[in-house]
Amino acid sequence: MTEQNQIQLGKTLWAIADQLRGAMDADDFRDYMLSFLFLRYLSDNYETAAKKELGSDYPKLASDDSRVPLAVWYADNTADVPVFEKQMRRKVHYCVQPQHLWSSIAHMARTQHAGLLNTLQEGFKYIETESFQSTFGGLFSEIDLGSPKLGKTYTERNAKLCVVIQKIAEGLADFSTNVDALGDAYEYLIGQFAAGSGKKAGEFYTPQQISDILSTIVTLDSQEPRTGVRQRLDSVMDFACGSGSLLLNVRKRMGPHGIGKIYGQEKNITTYNLARMNMLLHGVKDTEFEIFHGDTLANDWDMLRELNPAKKPAFDAIVANPPFSYRWEPNEAMADDVRFKSHGLAPKSAADFAFLLHGFHFLKDEGVMAIILPHGVLFRGGAEERIRKKLLMDGHIDTVIGLPSNLFYSTGIPVCILVLKKCKKPDDVLFINAAEHFAKGKRQNQLTDEHIAKIIKTYQFREEEARYSRRVEMAEIEKNDFNLNISRYISTAVSEAEIDLAATHAELVEIEKAIAAAKHKHNDFLQELGLRALP
C-alpha cells in the first residue's frame, strides 16, 4: 500500500468519525473508533494465522457466502476446538472466537442485528481473559459499550454501534489493510483526535515533528553522532509514553529488528490501553514490548525498583514528553530515593526535573536521553538551579535545543529539548536556537522537513552558525551562574548595516540629476502645449 493510500485511509476514517460522533466528546468517540480498528487488526491477524495452522482444512467458501470460514470449521470440528485454540494461544498469544471476529461483527452491523452490543462486550471480555494476560489483560476496560453517551436505551446504543461499525467497515473495504496501513491509520486518527482535544492532547500525543527530532537524536551514535545511526539498540524507554507514538518512531528508524525490547510507562489507564493497542497494530509482537500502567514519579514499577546496582535495568535510549510543570507531592523519604539523592528534589510546583532525573537514573553509560521540557528548566532558581548545576558540573548536559512556541495542541508556550549523556566527549554544551524557524499555521505552528533536518544536522555535526547555534565552554556557563537561557549564549539581534557615506552621496547626486532631466523634459512638453512650466 502506498504512503498516499495510507494517508487517504486515515482521512477516510477521520471523516467517518467526524460525521458520526455528533455531540459526543472527541475523547470518548476516539476510544470506540480506535478499539474497533484494533479489533479489525486482531481479527485479520488471527484469521491469517488460523488459515496457516489449519492448512487445507481451512474452509473455502463461495464469494456470495456471508458465513465466516472459521465459524464453519468450528461447527464441523467441535471436538478439535480446544486443541486448536491452545495452539493459537501459543503461536499468536491471543484467541478470538468466530462470532467475535471483525467480519462477523461487521455482518451484524450491516444487518442491524439486535445482539451486536452484547456480542461485542462478550468478544472484548473473551480476548482479555483468554489471551496472553500481561499484554491483553484489561485492554478494553475503558470501552463502555453501555454508556448513555451512545444512547439512552440498549436499542438506541445498539443501533448507534451498528451505524458506526458499518461505516468503518465500508471505509476499510476500499483499502488494502495490511499491518502497516492499519497502524498508520491508527496513528493518523490519534493525531486528529489530539488536534480536537485541546489541553487533554498533551496526555497522550507528541506532535510528529517533535517526535521526529527526539527519535533521530537517540538513534544516532551517542559518542560520535557524526558516524550515523547505531546498528542496534538493546532497549528503548519512554517513562511517560502516552499512546506510544514516540517509541514507535524510534522503532521505525531502527527497523523492526533494530531494537531488542521497547519499554513504556503510562499513568492514565485509557492512554495505557491505547499504547498497547498501538504497539500491536504496528506489528510489534507482545514479546517485544512491555508497557506498565503506573505512576512514574512514585516509581511503582517493580522492574525499576531493583536495589542491587548490578541488576538495575538500564536503557540505551530514553525519550520522553512528560507533563509540563506538573505539581507533585514528594515525601521526606524521596530525598533518599536513589534517583534523586545525588541531585536533590524538584520543587512541588514543577516536577520537570523529577521526571528528568528518573529517566537519567536508568540511562546506560553509553546511552542517550532526549526529553521535552518547558523553558523554565533552563533558568529557574532554587532547587532547580542546584539540580541543573550538578548535571552541568558532572558533564551530563550535552545539548539544549530551543523550539518555537505553539507547537503543541495542549499549550502555546515555547519548549526545549535537553539531550543528556552519562559519558559525553565534548566538554562544552551545544545550544541550538530554533525558536524562530517555523512555518505559521492556523492553529499550531509547524516545523517543516527542512527545519527538522537543520536541527538534526546541527546536533549531529555540532555545527556553529551565527544567531542559530553555538558551542559554549563550561567556564562561560559558570560565569552565568549555570543559567542555560539560550538568549544568554546566542544573540538573535540583527545588527544594523554600516552606511557607506561616499556611496550614499554619489547615489543622491545621480538621483538629483535624474530628477532634473525628467523635470526639463516635462517642461518642454508643457511649453509645446502652451502651459505654464514647473518652477
Side-chain angles (χ1 to χ4, degrees):
M1 189 178 196
T2 66
E3 183 179 348
Q4 186 59 40
N5 281 344
Q6 289 175 351
I7 293 171
Q8 189 55 48
L9 171 58
K11 288 182 176 179
T12 298
L13 292 173
W14 173 247
I16 292 169
D18 207 30
Q19 171 193 349
L20 295 179
R21 75 179 178 90
M24 190 184 296
D25 185 78
D27 289 340
D28 293 322
F29 194 80
R30 173 199 69 198
D31 299 336
Y32 296 116
M33 184 87 177
L34 296 179
S35 294
F36 298 149
L37 195 60
F38 182 62
L39 179 62
R40 165 65 191 261
Y41 160 74
L42 288 180
S43 299
D44 285 358
N45 193 50
Y46 192 78
E47 287 181 288
T48 299
K51 194 171 184 179
K52 186 176 180 181
E53 179 67 23
L54 295 175
S56 59
D57 290 336
Y58 191 80
K60 297 179 178 63
L61 304 181
S63 58
D64 59 349
D65 193 332
S66 62
R67 293 178 300 169
V68 175
L70 202 55
V72 175
W73 185 88
Y74 265 60
D76 295 341
N77 300 272
T78 309
D80 296 327
V81 168
V83 176
F84 168 76
E85 290 189 345
K86 183 178 180 180
Q87 187 71 350
M88 291 299 286
R89 287 190 191 94
R90 188 179 72 82
K91 290 194 171 181
V92 295
H93 294 176
Y94 66 93
C95 199
V96 185
Q97 292 200 314
Q99 67 270 28
H100 304 144
L101 290 167
W102 175 257
S103 49
S104 297
I105 297 295
H107 178 71
M108 293 180 78
R110 279 194 300 273
T111 56
Q112 300 287 301
H113 196 290
L116 173 70
L117 195 157
N118 283 337
T119 303
L120 262 179
Q121 285 179 319
E122 291 166 3
F124 286 162
K125 185 177 180 180
Y126 189 87
I127 292 169
E128 287 183 344
T129 57
E130 300 296 328
S131 302
F132 199 70
Q133 287 296 306
S134 63
T135 304
F136 293 91
L139 194 59
F140 301 99
S141 61
E142 295 299 294
I143 310 304
D144 184 7
L145 295 176
S147 170
K149 294 175 181 178
L150 285 171
K152 293 181 180 179
T153 65
Y154 174 93
T155 303
E156 289 178 358
R157 293 192 290 273
N158 191 78
K160 175 79 170 179
L161 289 171
C162 283
V163 172
V164 171
I165 291 170
Q166 182 181 356
K167 289 292 184 182
I168 294 173
E170 290 172 355
L172 291 170
D174 294 331
F175 298 90
S176 167
T177 46
N178 55 29
V179 171
D180 288 338
L182 281 174
D184 287 343
Y186 189 91
E187 195 75 25
Y188 179 87
L189 287 172
I190 287 176
Q192 292 300 108
F193 280 116
S197 295
K199 291 186 176 181
K200 290 183 181 179
E203 297 176 6
F204 63 88
Y205 189 71
T206 300
Q208 187 66 38
Q209 321 146 56
I210 302 174
S211 176
D212 285 345
I213 298 171
L214 268 69
S215 57
T216 303
I217 285 174
V218 300
T219 53
L220 292 170
D221 186 88
S222 62
Q223 296 302 303
E224 297 289 352
R226 64 179 60 245
T227 62
V229 178
R230 296 178 62 170
Q231 290 188 345
R232 180 176 172 80
L233 296 172
D234 288 333
S235 57
V236 58
M237 166 71 157
D238 182 346
F239 53 78
C241 70
S243 61
S245 58
L246 195 43
L247 288 168
L248 286 166
N249 209 339
V250 177
R251 181 179 184 266
K252 183 178 180 180
R253 293 178 189 286
M254 294 301 297
H257 306 296
I259 297 178
K261 194 161 185 177
I262 292 172
Y263 295 87
Q265 183 165 357
E266 175 53 43
K267 186 177 181 180
N268 181 290
I269 181 67
T270 304
T271 311
Y272 158 69
N273 288 334
L274 278 181
R276 292 190 291 163
M277 290 183 192
N278 207 4
M279 290 290 153
L280 294 164
L281 258 169
H282 279 84
V284 187
K285 296 177 183 176
D286 52 69
T287 53
E288 296 173 341
F289 75 89
E290 188 170 347
I291 308 290
F292 179 76
H293 175 229
D295 188 332
T296 295
L297 295 178
N299 200 25
D300 53 7
W301 192 353
D302 286 342
M303 181 188 78
L304 300 182
R305 296 172 68 91
E306 176 59 57
L307 297 178
N308 184 343
K311 295 182 179 179
K312 183 192 81 173
F315 306 95
D316 292 305
I318 294 179
V319 289
N321 175 22
F324 299 153
S325 299
Y326 178 76
R327 296 189 67 86
W328 69 315
E329 296 292 334
N331 53 43
E332 290 182 11
M334 277 193 170
D336 293 322
D337 189 303
V338 66
R339 298 171 295 164
F340 309 130
K341 70 178 183 179
S342 296
H343 298 81
L345 287 174
K348 292 182 179 181
S349 59
D352 301 309
F353 271 113
F355 283 115
L356 182 150
L357 292 173
H358 171 88
F360 188 68
H361 177 70
F362 296 105
L363 184 66
K364 282 185 180 178
D365 287 347
E366 66 278 13
V368 185
M369 175 178 172
I371 181 171
I372 305 169
L373 295 169
H375 261 261
V377 300
L378 302 178
F379 55 80
R380 289 192 297 239
E384 292 184 297
E385 182 182 354
R386 292 191 291 275
I387 295 170
R388 189 169 59 243
K389 178 180 177 180
K390 172 72 172 166
L391 288 167
L392 284 164
M393 293 295 288
D394 291 345
H396 295 321
I397 297 181
D398 178 86
T399 303
V400 177
I401 304 171
L403 295 176
S405 59
N406 203 31
L407 288 178
F408 286 80
Y409 299 117
S410 53
T411 179
I413 64 171
V415 298
C416 65
I417 296 172
L418 289 187
V419 181
L420 297 102
K421 301 174 184 179
K422 287 193 172 175
C423 300
K424 71 183 182 84
K425 281 191 174 182
D427 57 2
D428 54 34
V429 176
L430 174 65
F431 287 83
I432 300 175
N433 179 28
E436 298 176 8
H437 299 255
F438 63 91
K440 190 141 186 80
K442 290 182 180 178
R443 296 177 64 182
Q444 271 77 40
N445 291 328
Q446 304 288 325
L447 295 177
T448 65
D449 290 344
E450 289 75 20
H451 295 140
I452 294 170
K454 184 177 177 67
I455 291 171
I456 296 302
K457 182 171 177 285
T458 304
Y459 164 78
Q460 184 174 6
F461 297 100
R462 225 163 176 80
E463 294 177 341
E464 294 187 282
E465 179 183 321
R467 301 181 67 244
Y468 186 77
S469 61
R470 185 177 163 225
R471 298 172 63 169
V472 180
E473 300 291 335
M474 275 304 303
E476 183 177 346
I477 293 173
E478 190 169 353
K479 280 183 183 177
N480 279 300
D481 298 321
F482 302 96
N483 187 315
L484 295 180
N485 205 352
I486 298 171
S487 61
R488 292 199 174 208
Y489 306 100
I490 300 177
S491 174
T492 57
V494 180
S495 57
E496 292 185 15
E498 285 188 9
I499 298 174
D500 186 334
L501 290 175
T504 303
H505 178 77
E507 186 179 353
L508 288 172
V509 168
E510 291 302 317
I511 292 172
E512 289 286 354
K513 287 180 180 178
I515 292 173
K519 182 179 175 182
H520 180 73
K521 186 175 182 180
H522 185 70
N523 281 339
D524 286 344
F525 290 138
L526 291 174
Q527 189 175 2
E528 286 180 21
L529 295 169
L531 298 175
R532 186 177 176 184
L534 294 173

